[in-house]
């Protein structure tokens, strides 16, 4: 892929809110003889764990970015991942300081970076009051959006030095109102409004991006909408100048992962059955991980940036990926720019 340099070259674009150590990336090599390396957040379970296995099977080295490194090692061993092809590093995406320590630890490891997979997420639909991050922000947005935003922007210089670099973010059908799943009003569809909550500083008593009363399920959907908007904004700002391919994907409904561990027990029983037999949208953790690995590693996904990949809501044998249209909420450039500006401000003071 030919790279076009310009004023937006991220090797010269230093984010003022990073620590000096985080702003400076070590040289990376594009030596074709080395294994390609990916960071996968949330790699100790579910989609992230199986994406790690699929990438390792392709010959990649995977940095498993996790809260519990012992669990990551145990789970990787359980499903037959070659531990020699992984490195386990601690990160708590809900803590901005932890994310910055992770970036320093990754650079100290000496690995190059060819792909970043932003997979980890928290979903806490049973909360009655907002849970706060160490920085004082509502935990779903702090973890799913703010933490990944800091990680993405900090590692752009490293990615640019990679081989066929890609930044892949897990999206969800529930945050895309172009699809049926994104229009279900339980508790409410994703909607960032005019970003009033972020404008107000997003600390107590504010807990929602739109500034409205707290709804935990909607907080999750809003955070995932932010992920998809951020990917589009990264594409707009940096693809032409860096050659990094930015993409989001919805691999299908993985209804039985640890993401749902805080839902009621009955839901954890009924939801997978409903997705398997009624909606037909269910996919296994193994298949979802394979789909993530395809977007990260396969040549057919290298030619388009700024795309949201999907295999559809009704899964069929041999389903092929396609570029799924996103809602106007995700595509609005003015909102994307303002979300970026406010997020950059909030993570700077976190």
């Amino acid at each position: 892929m030919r790279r076009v340099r310009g004023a937006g070259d991220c090797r010269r674009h230093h984010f003022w809110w990073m620590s000096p150590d985080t702003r400076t990336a070590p040289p990376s090599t594009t030596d074709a003889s080395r294994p390609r390396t990916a960071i996968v957040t949330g790699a100790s379970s579910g989609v992230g764990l199986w994406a790690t296995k699929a990438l390792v099977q392709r010959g990649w080295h995977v940095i498993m970015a996790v809260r519990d490194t012992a669990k990551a090692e145990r789970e990787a061993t359980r499903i037959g991942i070659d531990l020699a092809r992984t490195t386990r590093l601690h990160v708590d995406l809900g803590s901005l300081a932890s994310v910055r320590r992770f970036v320093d630890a990754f650079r100290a490891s000496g690995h190059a970076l060819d792909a970043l997979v932003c997979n980890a997420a928290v979903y806490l639909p049973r909360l009655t009051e907002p849970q706060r991050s160490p920085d004082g922000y509502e935990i779903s947005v702090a973890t799913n959006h703010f933490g990944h935003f800091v990680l993405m922007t900090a590692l752009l210089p490293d990615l640019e030095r990679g081989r066929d670099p890609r930044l892949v973010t897990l999206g969800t059908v529930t945050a895309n109102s172009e699809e049926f799943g994104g229009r279900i009003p339980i508790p409410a569809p994703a909607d960032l409004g005019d970003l009033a909550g972020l404008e107000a500083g997003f600390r107590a008593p504010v807990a929602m991006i739109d500034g409205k009363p707290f709804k935990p399920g909607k907080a999750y959907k809003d955070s995932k909408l932010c992920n998809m908007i951020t990917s589009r904004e990264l594409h707009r700002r940096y693809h032409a100048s860096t050659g990094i391919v930015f993409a989001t994907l919805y691999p299908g409904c993985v209804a039985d992962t640890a993401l749902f561990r805080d839902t009621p027990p009955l839901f954890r029983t009924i939801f997978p059955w409903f997705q398997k037999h009624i909606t037909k949208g269910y996919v296994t953790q193994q298949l979802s991980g394979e789909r993530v690995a395809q977007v990260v590693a396969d040549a057919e996904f290298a030619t388009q940036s700024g795309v949201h990949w999907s295999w559809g809501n009704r899964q069929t044998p041999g389903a092929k990926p396609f570029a799924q249209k996103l809602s106007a909420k995700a595509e609005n450039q003015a909102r994307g720019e303002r979300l970026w500006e406010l997020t950059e401000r909030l993570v700077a003071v976190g």
Side-chain angles (χ1 to χ4, degrees), residues 169-180 182-183 190 221 224-233 235 246-250 305-310 313 322-333 335:
T169 306
L170 270 287
T172 172
V173 68
T174 61
N176 183 20
S177 59
E178 281 291 315
E179 301 179 79
F180 175 75
R183 296 191 291 272
K221 293 180 185 180
K224 298 304 292 181
L225 177 55
C226 287
N227 287 162
M228 293 190 283
I229 292 173
T230 299
S231 182
R232 284 293 207 267
E233 189 65 9
H235 165 76
F246 300 97
T248 55
L249 78 148
Y250 173 62
S305 181
V307 171
H308 179 67
W309 296 105
S310 178
N313 289 329
F322 60 92
Q324 169 67 54
K325 180 177 175 58
L326 292 181
S327 68
K329 297 174 184 177
E331 297 281 11
N332 184 285
Q333 183 174 324
R335 182 181 284 109

Tab-separated table of all heavy atoms in Angstrom, residues 169-180 182-183 190 221 224-233 235 246-250 305-310 313 322-333 335:
chain	number	residue	atom	x	y	z
A	169	THR	N	-11.885	-2.389	15.362
A	169	THR	CA	-12.690	-2.178	16.562
A	169	THR	C	-13.976	-2.983	16.468
A	169	THR	O	-14.647	-2.971	15.437
A	169	THR	CB	-13.026	-0.681	16.731
A	169	THR	OG1	-11.817	0.095	16.696
A	169	THR	CG2	-13.747	-0.430	18.047
A	170	LEU	N	-14.320	-3.658	17.557
A	170	LEU	CA	-15.569	-4.411	17.600
A	170	LEU	C	-16.739	-3.450	17.780
A	170	LEU	O	-16.769	-2.664	18.734
A	170	LEU	CB	-15.559	-5.433	18.731
A	170	LEU	CG	-15.026	-6.827	18.429
A	170	LEU	CD1	-16.013	-7.600	17.581
A	170	LEU	CD2	-13.656	-6.781	17.792
A	171	GLY	N	-17.682	-3.510	16.857
A	171	GLY	CA	-18.910	-2.748	16.980
A	171	GLY	C	-20.039	-3.659	17.427
A	171	GLY	O	-19.826	-4.812	17.809
A	172	THR	N	-21.251	-3.164	17.372
A	172	THR	CA	-22.410	-3.974	17.727
A	172	THR	C	-23.620	-3.509	16.956
A	172	THR	O	-23.777	-2.322	16.674
A	172	THR	CB	-22.708	-3.914	19.240
A	172	THR	OG1	-23.940	-4.574	19.502
A	172	THR	CG2	-22.830	-2.476	19.724
A	173	VAL	N	-24.473	-4.461	16.620
A	173	VAL	CA	-25.701	-4.143	15.910
A	173	VAL	C	-26.610	-3.268	16.761
A	173	VAL	O	-27.395	-2.475	16.239
A	173	VAL	CB	-26.414	-5.448	15.491
A	173	VAL	CG1	-26.944	-6.198	16.701
A	173	VAL	CG2	-27.525	-5.185	14.501
A	174	THR	N	-26.495	-3.367	18.087
A	174	THR	CA	-27.388	-2.610	18.967
A	174	THR	C	-27.072	-1.116	18.986
A	174	THR	O	-27.860	-0.339	19.525
A	174	THR	CB	-27.326	-3.150	20.407
A	174	THR	OG1	-26.002	-3.012	20.919
A	174	THR	CG2	-27.761	-4.606	20.452
A	175	ALA	N	-25.961	-0.716	18.400
A	175	ALA	CA	-25.617	0.707	18.341
A	175	ALA	C	-25.799	1.290	16.951
A	175	ALA	O	-25.435	2.439	16.707
A	175	ALA	CB	-24.176	0.920	18.804
A	176	ASN	N	-26.347	0.505	16.037
A	176	ASN	CA	-26.513	0.956	14.654
A	176	ASN	C	-27.995	0.951	14.285
A	176	ASN	O	-28.565	-0.108	14.006
A	176	ASN	CB	-25.732	0.053	13.696
A	176	ASN	CG	-25.823	0.534	12.260
A	176	ASN	OD1	-26.141	1.695	11.991
A	176	ASN	ND2	-25.543	-0.355	11.328
A	177	SER	N	-28.603	2.115	14.269
A	177	SER	CA	-30.042	2.195	14.018
A	177	SER	C	-30.414	1.916	12.568
A	177	SER	O	-31.595	1.877	12.222
A	177	SER	CB	-30.580	3.568	14.440
A	177	SER	OG	-29.937	4.609	13.732
A	178	GLU	N	-29.427	1.684	11.703
A	178	GLU	CA	-29.715	1.233	10.339
A	178	GLU	C	-30.166	-0.223	10.333
A	178	GLU	O	-30.700	-0.704	9.334
A	178	GLU	CB	-28.477	1.381	9.454
A	178	GLU	CG	-28.222	2.785	8.952
A	178	GLU	CD	-29.271	3.249	7.945
A	178	GLU	OE1	-29.610	2.458	7.048
A	178	GLU	OE2	-29.747	4.386	8.072
A	179	GLU	N	-29.931	-0.914	11.450
A	179	GLU	CA	-30.300	-2.324	11.560
A	179	GLU	C	-31.376	-2.482	12.631
A	179	GLU	O	-31.466	-1.682	13.574
A	179	GLU	CB	-29.070	-3.154	11.903
A	179	GLU	CG	-27.949	-3.026	10.872
A	179	GLU	CD	-26.733	-3.827	11.250
A	179	GLU	OE1	-26.763	-5.048	11.035
A	179	GLU	OE2	-25.768	-3.245	11.773
A	180	PHE	N	-32.146	-3.538	12.507
A	180	PHE	CA	-33.269	-3.754	13.422
A	180	PHE	C	-32.814	-3.770	14.876
A	180	PHE	O	-33.447	-3.170	15.753
A	180	PHE	CB	-33.995	-5.059	13.078
A	180	PHE	CG	-35.084	-5.404	14.044
A	180	PHE	CD1	-36.292	-4.715	14.027
A	180	PHE	CD2	-34.898	-6.405	14.998
A	180	PHE	CE1	-37.303	-5.020	14.943
A	180	PHE	CE2	-35.899	-6.715	15.910
A	180	PHE	CZ	-37.102	-6.022	15.876
A	182	GLY	N	-30.559	-2.254	16.299
A	182	GLY	CA	-30.213	-0.929	16.809
A	182	GLY	C	-31.409	-0.040	17.071
A	182	GLY	O	-31.255	1.078	17.586
A	183	ARG	N	-32.608	-0.547	16.736
A	183	ARG	CA	-33.816	0.253	16.956
A	183	ARG	C	-34.665	-0.265	18.112
A	183	ARG	O	-35.716	0.293	18.410
A	183	ARG	CB	-34.655	0.280	15.670
A	183	ARG	CG	-33.961	0.964	14.512
A	183	ARG	CD	-34.905	1.208	13.352
A	183	ARG	NE	-35.326	-0.020	12.692
A	183	ARG	CZ	-34.671	-0.606	11.693
A	183	ARG	NH1	-33.548	-0.067	11.227
A	183	ARG	NH2	-35.128	-1.735	11.140
A	190	ALA	N	-29.236	3.592	21.057
A	190	ALA	CA	-28.049	4.441	21.222
A	190	ALA	C	-28.334	5.831	20.664
A	190	ALA	O	-28.866	5.971	19.579
A	190	ALA	CB	-26.867	3.820	20.494
A	221	LYS	N	-24.638	0.869	24.903
A	221	LYS	CA	-24.884	1.114	23.480
A	221	LYS	C	-24.228	2.415	23.030
A	221	LYS	O	-23.619	2.487	21.950
A	221	LYS	CB	-26.386	1.186	23.204
A	221	LYS	CG	-27.145	-0.112	23.405
A	221	LYS	CD	-28.626	0.114	23.100
A	221	LYS	CE	-29.479	-1.091	23.383
A	221	LYS	NZ	-30.909	-0.830	23.078
A	224	LYS	N	-20.518	2.014	22.517
A	224	LYS	CA	-20.180	1.298	21.289
A	224	LYS	C	-20.422	2.166	20.062
A	224	LYS	O	-19.689	2.064	19.066
A	224	LYS	CB	-20.971	-0.007	21.205
A	224	LYS	CG	-20.671	-0.997	22.325
A	224	LYS	CD	-19.192	-1.333	22.423
A	224	LYS	CE	-18.697	-2.130	21.237
A	224	LYS	NZ	-17.253	-2.475	21.359
A	225	LEU	N	-21.433	3.032	20.113
A	225	LEU	CA	-21.615	4.001	19.034
A	225	LEU	C	-20.402	4.923	18.968
A	225	LEU	O	-19.907	5.245	17.877
A	225	LEU	CB	-22.897	4.802	19.253
A	225	LEU	CG	-23.205	5.915	18.250
A	225	LEU	CD1	-23.232	5.402	16.817
A	225	LEU	CD2	-24.532	6.594	18.608
A	226	CYS	N	-19.894	5.322	20.125
A	226	CYS	CA	-18.669	6.136	20.155
A	226	CYS	C	-17.501	5.404	19.493
A	226	CYS	O	-16.703	6.015	18.774
A	226	CYS	CB	-18.302	6.490	21.591
A	226	CYS	SG	-19.357	7.715	22.374
A	227	ASN	N	-17.384	4.098	19.748
A	227	ASN	CA	-16.316	3.314	19.113
A	227	ASN	C	-16.392	3.403	17.600
A	227	ASN	O	-15.375	3.595	16.910
A	227	ASN	CB	-16.412	1.846	19.523
A	227	ASN	CG	-15.999	1.554	20.937
A	227	ASN	OD1	-16.331	0.513	21.485
A	227	ASN	ND2	-15.268	2.453	21.573
A	228	MET	N	-17.598	3.273	17.061
A	228	MET	CA	-17.753	3.280	15.605
A	228	MET	C	-17.538	4.676	15.027
A	228	MET	O	-16.947	4.831	13.954
A	228	MET	CB	-19.113	2.696	15.236
A	228	MET	CG	-19.207	1.209	15.583
A	228	MET	SD	-20.656	0.323	14.951
A	228	MET	CE	-21.920	0.856	16.088
A	229	ILE	N	-17.980	5.707	15.746
A	229	ILE	CA	-17.723	7.080	15.306
A	229	ILE	C	-16.231	7.361	15.336
A	229	ILE	O	-15.677	7.959	14.400
A	229	ILE	CB	-18.477	8.072	16.209
A	229	ILE	CG1	-19.988	7.955	16.003
A	229	ILE	CG2	-18.024	9.509	15.930
A	229	ILE	CD1	-20.805	8.776	16.989
A	230	THR	N	-15.554	6.925	16.402
A	230	THR	CA	-14.117	7.170	16.527
A	230	THR	C	-13.339	6.504	15.399
A	230	THR	O	-12.389	7.072	14.849
A	230	THR	CB	-13.606	6.681	17.891
A	230	THR	OG1	-14.280	7.400	18.931
A	230	THR	CG2	-12.107	6.898	18.027
A	231	SER	N	-13.729	5.287	15.032
A	231	SER	CA	-13.053	4.611	13.923
A	231	SER	C	-13.208	5.394	12.628
A	231	SER	O	-12.251	5.550	11.860
A	231	SER	CB	-13.608	3.200	13.749
A	231	SER	OG	-12.937	2.513	12.719
A	232	ARG	N	-14.409	5.910	12.384
A	232	ARG	CA	-14.633	6.729	11.199
A	232	ARG	C	-13.782	8.004	11.244
A	232	ARG	O	-13.232	8.442	10.234
A	232	ARG	CB	-16.119	7.109	11.092
A	232	ARG	CG	-17.032	5.982	10.612
A	232	ARG	CD	-16.725	5.611	9.160
A	232	ARG	NE	-17.853	5.049	8.465
A	232	ARG	CZ	-18.131	3.763	8.368
A	232	ARG	NH1	-17.358	2.886	8.974
A	232	ARG	NH2	-19.183	3.347	7.673
A	233	GLU	N	-13.684	8.597	12.421
A	233	GLU	CA	-12.910	9.829	12.555
A	233	GLU	C	-11.415	9.555	12.401
A	233	GLU	O	-10.682	10.352	11.795
A	233	GLU	CB	-13.215	10.477	13.905
A	233	GLU	CG	-12.656	11.872	14.090
A	233	GLU	CD	-13.251	12.929	13.171
A	233	GLU	OE1	-14.259	12.646	12.464
A	233	GLU	OE2	-12.701	14.045	13.125
A	235	HIS	N	-10.183	7.227	10.521
A	235	HIS	CA	-10.022	7.072	9.075
A	235	HIS	C	-9.920	8.433	8.399
A	235	HIS	O	-9.027	8.669	7.561
A	235	HIS	CB	-11.195	6.286	8.504
A	235	HIS	CG	-11.316	6.386	7.014
A	235	HIS	ND1	-10.483	5.697	6.153
A	235	HIS	CD2	-12.152	7.128	6.230
A	235	HIS	CE1	-10.805	5.993	4.899
A	235	HIS	NE2	-11.806	6.857	4.923
A	246	PHE	N	-8.442	1.487	8.946
A	246	PHE	CA	-9.323	1.550	10.109
A	246	PHE	C	-10.640	0.868	9.763
A	246	PHE	O	-11.251	1.179	8.739
A	246	PHE	CB	-9.574	3.006	10.508
A	246	PHE	CG	-8.320	3.761	10.869
A	246	PHE	CD1	-7.689	4.568	9.935
A	246	PHE	CD2	-7.761	3.646	12.128
A	246	PHE	CE1	-6.531	5.259	10.248
A	246	PHE	CE2	-6.600	4.332	12.465
A	246	PHE	CZ	-5.978	5.138	11.515
A	247	ALA	N	-11.083	-0.046	10.626
A	247	ALA	CA	-12.322	-0.772	10.353
A	247	ALA	C	-13.021	-1.122	11.657
A	247	ALA	O	-12.387	-1.296	12.698
A	247	ALA	CB	-12.027	-2.054	9.571
A	248	THR	N	-14.343	-1.213	11.575
A	248	THR	CA	-15.122	-1.810	12.652
A	248	THR	C	-15.791	-3.055	12.096
A	248	THR	O	-15.859	-3.240	10.877
A	248	THR	CB	-16.180	-0.832	13.200
A	248	THR	OG1	-16.999	-0.370	12.121
A	248	THR	CG2	-15.528	0.357	13.874
A	249	LEU	N	-16.275	-3.919	12.980
A	249	LEU	CA	-16.994	-5.093	12.505
A	249	LEU	C	-17.989	-5.548	13.538
A	249	LEU	O	-17.828	-5.320	14.742
A	249	LEU	CB	-16.051	-6.247	12.170
A	249	LEU	CG	-15.497	-7.074	13.348
A	249	LEU	CD1	-15.279	-8.511	12.917
A	249	LEU	CD2	-14.201	-6.466	13.861
A	250	TYR	N	-19.030	-6.190	13.049
A	250	TYR	CA	-19.997	-6.916	13.866
A	250	TYR	C	-19.933	-8.364	13.409
A	250	TYR	O	-20.376	-8.696	12.309
A	250	TYR	CB	-21.405	-6.352	13.672
A	250	TYR	CG	-22.477	-7.172	14.358
A	250	TYR	CD1	-22.470	-7.336	15.737
A	250	TYR	CD2	-23.487	-7.790	13.622
A	250	TYR	CE1	-23.445	-8.094	16.373
A	250	TYR	CE2	-24.479	-8.545	14.247
A	250	TYR	CZ	-24.451	-8.696	15.622
A	250	TYR	OH	-25.402	-9.446	16.251
A	305	SER	N	-10.654	1.241	3.850
A	305	SER	CA	-10.587	1.785	5.203
A	305	SER	C	-11.862	2.576	5.460
A	305	SER	O	-12.514	3.052	4.535
A	305	SER	CB	-9.358	2.689	5.352
A	305	SER	OG	-9.254	3.203	6.666
A	306	GLY	N	-12.220	2.702	6.733
A	306	GLY	CA	-13.435	3.413	7.083
A	306	GLY	C	-14.684	2.598	6.870
A	306	GLY	O	-15.767	3.147	6.681
A	307	VAL	N	-14.554	1.256	6.922
A	307	VAL	CA	-15.665	0.348	6.628
A	307	VAL	C	-16.123	-0.340	7.907
A	307	VAL	O	-15.318	-0.653	8.787
A	307	VAL	CB	-15.234	-0.705	5.579
A	307	VAL	CG1	-16.287	-1.792	5.421
A	307	VAL	CG2	-14.955	-0.033	4.246
A	308	HIS	N	-17.438	-0.596	8.000
A	308	HIS	CA	-17.999	-1.428	9.060
A	308	HIS	C	-18.391	-2.764	8.436
A	308	HIS	O	-19.330	-2.849	7.644
A	308	HIS	CB	-19.230	-0.759	9.683
A	308	HIS	CG	-19.877	-1.576	10.763
A	308	HIS	ND1	-19.250	-1.835	11.966
A	308	HIS	CD2	-21.093	-2.202	10.830
A	308	HIS	CE1	-20.058	-2.575	12.721
A	308	HIS	NE2	-21.170	-2.820	12.063
A	309	TRP	N	-17.659	-3.818	8.797
A	309	TRP	CA	-17.882	-5.131	8.208
A	309	TRP	C	-18.945	-5.901	8.990
A	309	TRP	O	-19.008	-5.837	10.212
A	309	TRP	CB	-16.586	-5.937	8.179
A	309	TRP	CG	-15.534	-5.336	7.312
A	309	TRP	CD1	-14.413	-4.657	7.710
A	309	TRP	CD2	-15.499	-5.353	5.877
A	309	TRP	NE1	-13.679	-4.252	6.615
A	309	TRP	CE2	-14.330	-4.664	5.480
A	309	TRP	CE3	-16.343	-5.878	4.901
A	309	TRP	CZ2	-13.982	-4.494	4.149
A	309	TRP	CZ3	-15.995	-5.705	3.569
A	309	TRP	CH2	-14.824	-5.025	3.200
A	310	SER	N	-19.760	-6.635	8.280
A	310	SER	CA	-20.808	-7.432	8.903
A	310	SER	C	-21.016	-8.711	8.108
A	310	SER	O	-20.706	-8.775	6.915
A	310	SER	CB	-22.112	-6.629	8.959
A	310	SER	OG	-23.164	-7.406	9.514
A	313	ASN	N	-27.412	-10.206	10.200
A	313	ASN	CA	-28.068	-10.598	11.443
A	313	ASN	C	-28.584	-12.030	11.400
A	313	ASN	O	-28.708	-12.689	12.427
A	313	ASN	CB	-29.230	-9.655	11.749
A	313	ASN	CG	-28.733	-8.287	12.149
A	313	ASN	OD1	-27.672	-8.158	12.736
A	313	ASN	ND2	-29.493	-7.257	11.823
A	322	PHE	N	-19.724	-8.176	4.257
A	322	PHE	CA	-20.073	-7.050	3.395
A	322	PHE	C	-19.956	-5.766	4.207
A	322	PHE	O	-19.935	-5.784	5.440
A	322	PHE	CB	-21.502	-7.198	2.854
A	322	PHE	CG	-22.571	-7.253	3.913
A	322	PHE	CD1	-23.221	-6.106	4.336
A	322	PHE	CD2	-22.926	-8.473	4.495
A	322	PHE	CE1	-24.198	-6.156	5.324
A	322	PHE	CE2	-23.911	-8.542	5.478
A	322	PHE	CZ	-24.543	-7.373	5.899
A	323	ALA	N	-19.851	-4.653	3.509
A	323	ALA	CA	-19.768	-3.350	4.161
A	323	ALA	C	-21.175	-2.916	4.563
A	323	ALA	O	-22.008	-2.633	3.711
A	323	ALA	CB	-19.137	-2.332	3.229
A	324	GLN	N	-21.422	-2.865	5.859
A	324	GLN	CA	-22.733	-2.516	6.394
A	324	GLN	C	-22.849	-1.000	6.545
A	324	GLN	O	-21.957	-0.347	7.093
A	324	GLN	CB	-22.935	-3.177	7.757
A	324	GLN	CG	-24.129	-2.694	8.552
A	324	GLN	CD	-25.448	-3.058	7.903
A	324	GLN	OE1	-25.698	-4.217	7.607
A	324	GLN	NE2	-26.300	-2.062	7.683
A	325	LYS	N	-23.921	-0.436	6.069
A	325	LYS	CA	-24.168	0.992	6.237
A	325	LYS	C	-24.372	1.292	7.714
A	325	LYS	O	-25.041	0.555	8.427
A	325	LYS	CB	-25.400	1.417	5.439
A	325	LYS	CG	-25.747	2.903	5.551
A	325	LYS	CD	-26.933	3.249	4.673
A	325	LYS	CE	-27.371	4.698	4.862
A	325	LYS	NZ	-26.284	5.652	4.564
A	326	LEU	N	-23.793	2.391	8.173
A	326	LEU	CA	-24.009	2.852	9.531
A	326	LEU	C	-25.026	3.990	9.542
A	326	LEU	O	-25.265	4.645	8.526
A	326	LEU	CB	-22.698	3.322	10.164
A	326	LEU	CG	-21.652	2.248	10.452
A	326	LEU	CD1	-20.416	2.863	11.094
A	326	LEU	CD2	-22.218	1.150	11.350
A	327	SER	N	-25.585	4.232	10.704
A	327	SER	CA	-26.609	5.265	10.834
A	327	SER	C	-26.018	6.657	10.659
A	327	SER	O	-24.806	6.863	10.769
A	327	SER	CB	-27.266	5.168	12.218
A	327	SER	OG	-26.332	5.533	13.227
A	328	ALA	N	-26.900	7.618	10.435
A	328	ALA	CA	-26.473	9.020	10.347
A	328	ALA	C	-25.814	9.465	11.644
A	328	ALA	O	-24.935	10.333	11.640
A	328	ALA	CB	-27.677	9.903	10.017
A	329	LYS	N	-26.213	8.852	12.769
A	329	LYS	CA	-25.598	9.189	14.061
A	329	LYS	C	-24.106	8.868	14.058
A	329	LYS	O	-23.314	9.548	14.706
A	329	LYS	CB	-26.280	8.406	15.179
A	329	LYS	CG	-27.747	8.729	15.378
A	329	LYS	CD	-28.359	7.784	16.406
A	329	LYS	CE	-29.858	8.015	16.567
A	329	LYS	NZ	-30.474	7.064	17.516
A	330	ALA	N	-23.740	7.808	13.344
A	330	ALA	CA	-22.335	7.407	13.293
A	330	ALA	C	-21.570	8.103	12.185
A	330	ALA	O	-20.356	8.271	12.274
A	330	ALA	CB	-22.234	5.889	13.107
A	331	GLU	N	-22.259	8.510	11.133
A	331	GLU	CA	-21.601	9.061	9.953
A	331	GLU	C	-21.475	10.586	9.970
A	331	GLU	O	-20.761	11.160	9.159
A	331	GLU	CB	-22.367	8.653	8.685
A	331	GLU	CG	-22.404	7.150	8.427
A	331	GLU	CD	-21.119	6.632	7.816
A	331	GLU	OE1	-20.116	7.381	7.783
A	331	GLU	OE2	-21.116	5.474	7.373
A	332	ASN	N	-22.181	11.262	10.884
A	332	ASN	CA	-22.185	12.719	10.909
A	332	ASN	C	-20.803	13.265	11.257
A	332	ASN	O	-20.307	13.059	12.362
A	332	ASN	CB	-23.225	13.202	11.923
A	332	ASN	CG	-23.362	14.708	11.950
A	332	ASN	OD1	-22.511	15.403	12.478
A	332	ASN	ND2	-24.442	15.208	11.355
A	333	GLN	N	-20.171	13.947	10.319
A	333	GLN	CA	-18.790	14.387	10.520
A	333	GLN	C	-18.676	15.430	11.619
A	333	GLN	O	-17.735	15.398	12.424
A	333	GLN	CB	-18.208	14.937	9.217
A	333	GLN	CG	-16.743	15.349	9.365
A	333	GLN	CD	-16.120	15.769	8.050
A	333	GLN	OE1	-16.422	15.200	7.010
A	333	GLN	NE2	-15.253	16.772	8.096
A	335	ARG	N	-20.513	15.785	14.273
A	335	ARG	CA	-20.606	15.121	15.572
A	335	ARG	C	-19.320	14.348	15.858
A	335	ARG	O	-18.837	14.319	16.991
A	335	ARG	CB	-21.806	14.181	15.610
A	335	ARG	CG	-21.960	13.490	16.977
A	335	ARG	CD	-23.143	12.536	17.024
A	335	ARG	NE	-24.397	13.272	17.127
A	335	ARG	CZ	-25.275	13.363	16.158
A	335	ARG	NH1	-25.054	12.765	14.996
A	335	ARG	NH2	-26.400	14.024	16.322
